[in-house]
Amino acid sequence: MIVISRPWSLPGEDSGVGRPSFVAEFGLWDERQAAAAERIAVALAEVDLVRVVFCDPHGLARSKTLPAEVFRTVLRNGMDFSAGPFLFDTGHAVAVDFRTDSGVGVDELRGAGDFVLVPDPCTFQVLPGPGPRTAWVLGDEYLRDGSPHPLSTRGVLRRVLAEYARQDLAPVIGLEIEWYLTRLLEGPAGNAGNGFGLQGDAPAVAAMNPGYQFNLDAYYDSVAHVADPLAALLSGLGLPLRTIEHESGPGQLETTFGPMLAQDAADAMLLFRTQVKRFCRSVGHHASFMTLPRLDGADSSGWHLHQSVTSTKTGGNVFPGGGQDTLSPAGVAYVEGLLARGREFCLLSVPTVNGYRRLAPEFTLSPTTADWRFEDRGAMVRVLGGDASTHAENRIGEPCANPYLAIASQLSAGLEGLNAGSPPAGSATGPGHPGLPASLREALDAFRASERVTRLLGAPLKTCLTSLKESEITRYDAWCAAERPAGGGVTDWEHREYFGAY
């Protein structure tokens, strides 16, 4: 038999991905990124596959996996991606009309046209583990004319950080994330009845232990066969892991990381969540960052965002007030900014129907009002320290939130407070700050009415998020009206909607 070699890639096609020299044509990299790209070109000889990733508005990683040789082209040409993640809500219902004028203000959404994802060479990371040697890289979204995509959430954070830089300031972020580890059971894939706007059954799982013995060493032993190698993996990824500990719920873990610059922290949060789920799945377990799963005895999970601000002129933290349980005027102003925007920005830190179950009196360590106090886990903002490590811990977030939007919104509110100047020193525990929303509907109403949200996100992204969340709420309300669930517990709809995806 004669085998004829066929030239599948024609001369000059440049592998048919992206747009030739897209990065160079529009000057999309700085010197640091260009230098990193040169190092990647060498490193690709030791890699089989590359997973090219971006963070959608919901905070979920969307990706394509490429042979390393194809990625050589993508690195400088970009990669065409579908606009689908901007159009579908959390249940994959079409929430943004792409057949006619979407109303979002992005012409390229019509017809669900592609956008171009450009890898950020500084995020290139070889993933530990057996099997094909796989790398991961985050990308930034661009329109086909080379302009930044108005719906890019990573772009929102970049704009906020540029505002800080113009004032010779740099935010510092520490991540503290609670999540659930469960053991996967044999069962169907969950596709029965699944479709646009209706999620199939959530993964069938079993609890790891009884829970409700906070930090009990014996309960950590029950998860150590997964958590210990996971800790090694996270450290191998270069993440500044500090602790893994057992929390309250059955199999509920908390993972904390050391301080990072804000952009690095947001990128790390996305990498952390995806790699935790990937690793746990590979060893027969399921990790979920859903706030309150429909599991017996579940306690709610939160995402506590530790934050301070450094002067790039002096290298010093601007928050210390000179003694224990004191804040500088700048620190007070920053915290007051967080509280002042707590209601209208809440949707960006608590973006799901399920997340608002945590902001309730029965969860004693979860905030219910916009307030701050020193070393008080019942406040929305807990202030720690009095020395160079003084910082604010905003306890409002849920662990599945989009990291770029959650961090950007809090940093933006804090900077607004800094620029407004310090109010009289004290603890804001009562009147003067709007109450926190009690539901996603209430949060969406505050979000929609806020001009400050428009300035932060831009009108296109605000409109897009409003449509996505309106669709999610409408589907939930319709399900409740039809099913009339008894009691006030977590519904089957919530568990199917969030437990697997997040």
Side-chain angles (χ1 to χ4, degrees):
M1 181 177 67
I2 299 175
V3 178
I4 301 175
S5 175
R6 183 171 180 178
W8 293 105
S9 295
L10 299 177
E13 272 194 321
D14 215 359
S15 299
V17 293
R19 172 171 164 176
S21 303
F22 188 81
V23 172
E25 179 180 356
F26 297 109
L28 302 181
W29 287 342
D30 58 23
E31 291 182 3
R32 180 167 161 263
Q33 289 171 311
E38 294 300 324
R39 293 191 295 271
I40 290 170
V42 176
L44 284 174
E46 304 300 322
V47 171
D48 300 312
L49 301 171
V50 180
R51 194 168 294 188
V52 182
V53 183
F54 79 100
C55 185
D56 78 359
H58 302 297
L60 294 168
R62 307 288 178 174
S63 71
K64 294 187 179 185
T65 300
L66 320 174
E69 286 307 308
V70 175
F71 180 72
R72 288 185 186 276
T73 301
V74 167
L75 183 59
R76 299 182 185 277
N77 289 7
M79 182 86 197
D80 294 334
F81 266 71
S82 166
F86 298 130
L87 309 175
F88 299 124
D89 71 8
T90 51
H92 209 70
V94 178
V96 176
D97 185 5
F98 60 89
R99 300 171 187 86
T100 57
D101 182 2
S102 67
V104 171
V106 180
D107 290 341
E108 290 187 18
L109 290 183
R110 185 172 295 189
D114 285 346
F115 65 92
V116 180
L117 191 74
V118 173
D120 179 350
C122 294
T123 68
F124 185 86
Q125 174 74 62
V126 178
L127 301 177
R133 299 167 299 176
T134 303
W136 147 294
V137 65
L138 282 169
D140 290 304
E141 307 97 308
Y142 289 90
L143 299 178
R144 293 190 294 276
D145 65 2
S147 58
H149 202 300
L151 304 184
S152 168
T153 61
R154 199 168 186 250
V156 173
L157 178 57
R158 187 178 292 110
R159 293 195 298 271
V160 172
L161 295 179
E163 293 180 27
Y164 274 85
R166 282 192 287 270
Q167 299 185 42
D168 299 312
L169 298 172
V172 176
I173 297 294
L175 304 175
E176 178 183 336
I177 313 107
E178 296 164 352
W179 54 283
Y180 269 90
L181 175 65
T182 55
R183 181 167 53 84
L184 275 173
L185 302 177
E186 290 293 332
N191 58 306
N194 201 356
F196 290 93
L198 181 64
Q199 295 294 291
D201 290 337
V205 299
M208 302 296 292
N209 53 51
Y212 293 93
Q213 290 291 340
F214 185 76
N215 283 172
L216 185 66
D217 188 64
Y219 281 1
Y220 185 82
D221 282 344
S222 71
V223 300
H225 63 289
V226 177
D228 286 353
L230 176 61
L233 181 146
L234 296 174
S235 296
L237 289 170
L239 299 177
L241 179 67
R242 293 181 69 177
T243 65
I244 296 183
E245 58 199 78
H246 200 283
E247 274 283 324
S248 295
Q252 185 185 37
L253 299 177
E254 179 180 88
T255 308
T256 68
F257 296 91
M260 292 175 267
L261 293 175
Q263 181 74 61
D264 294 337
D267 291 345
M269 183 66 171
L270 188 66
L271 178 64
F272 164 71
R273 288 195 310 217
T274 54
Q275 295 311 304
V276 166
K277 291 182 75 70
R278 174 177 178 258
F279 175 79
C280 291
R281 184 87 188 191
S282 73
V283 293
H285 290 70
H286 176 66
S288 181
F289 294 87
M290 177 183 178
T291 294
L292 186 60
R294 195 182 187 192
L295 303 174
D296 287 342
D299 191 10
S300 64
S301 294
W303 173 16
H304 306 155
L305 196 66
H306 297 254
Q307 46 203 290
S308 63
V309 177
T310 297
S311 165
T312 56
K313 286 185 174 180
T314 68
N317 182 357
V318 304
F319 282 9
Q324 190 66 30
D325 290 350
T326 60
L327 267 180
S328 69
V332 173
Y334 183 96
V335 171
E336 288 289 333
L338 293 179
L339 302 183
R341 297 299 177 187
R343 182 175 178 82
E344 58 202 288
F345 284 178
C346 190
L347 181 139
L348 300 175
S349 292
V350 190
T352 71
V353 168
N354 182 259
Y356 290 85
R357 294 190 178 277
R358 174 175 167 265
L359 305 184
E362 58 264 33
F363 297 110
T364 55
L365 296 181
S366 298
T368 56
T369 57
D371 56 2
W372 72 270
R373 289 185 291 277
F374 291 101
E375 276 293 2
D376 188 335
R377 285 182 168 86
M380 172 181 152
V381 178
R382 170 189 176 217
V383 178
L384 299 89
D387 52 18
S389 66
T390 301
H391 65 279
E393 174 196 5
N394 192 334
R395 299 173 60 81
I396 196 173
E398 65 174 321
C400 62
N402 180 305
Y404 303 100
L405 296 181
I407 293 174
S409 62
Q410 293 187 34
L411 294 182
S412 178
L415 184 61
E416 185 181 16
L418 279 173
N419 290 335
S422 176
S427 175
T429 59
H433 295 291
L436 297 178
S439 67
L440 184 58
R441 167 60 70 192
E442 194 177 333
L444 180 59
D445 290 344
F447 176 88
R448 194 193 321 250
S450 172
E451 177 56 33
R452 188 65 184 83
V453 168
T454 308
R455 295 202 305 272
L456 171 65
L457 303 182
L461 181 53
K462 179 183 179 183
T463 302
C464 179
L465 280 168
T466 299
S467 297
L468 295 174
K469 292 294 133 182
E470 187 67 55
S471 176
E472 183 179 338
I473 295 166
T474 299
R475 288 190 300 104
Y476 174 70
D477 288 346
W479 182 90
C480 288
E483 298 295 328
R484 300 184 182 279
V490 177
T491 62
D492 181 60
W493 185 96
E494 293 167 76
H495 196 64
R496 287 188 284 107
E497 186 87 0
Y498 307 122
F499 186 63
Y502 287 107

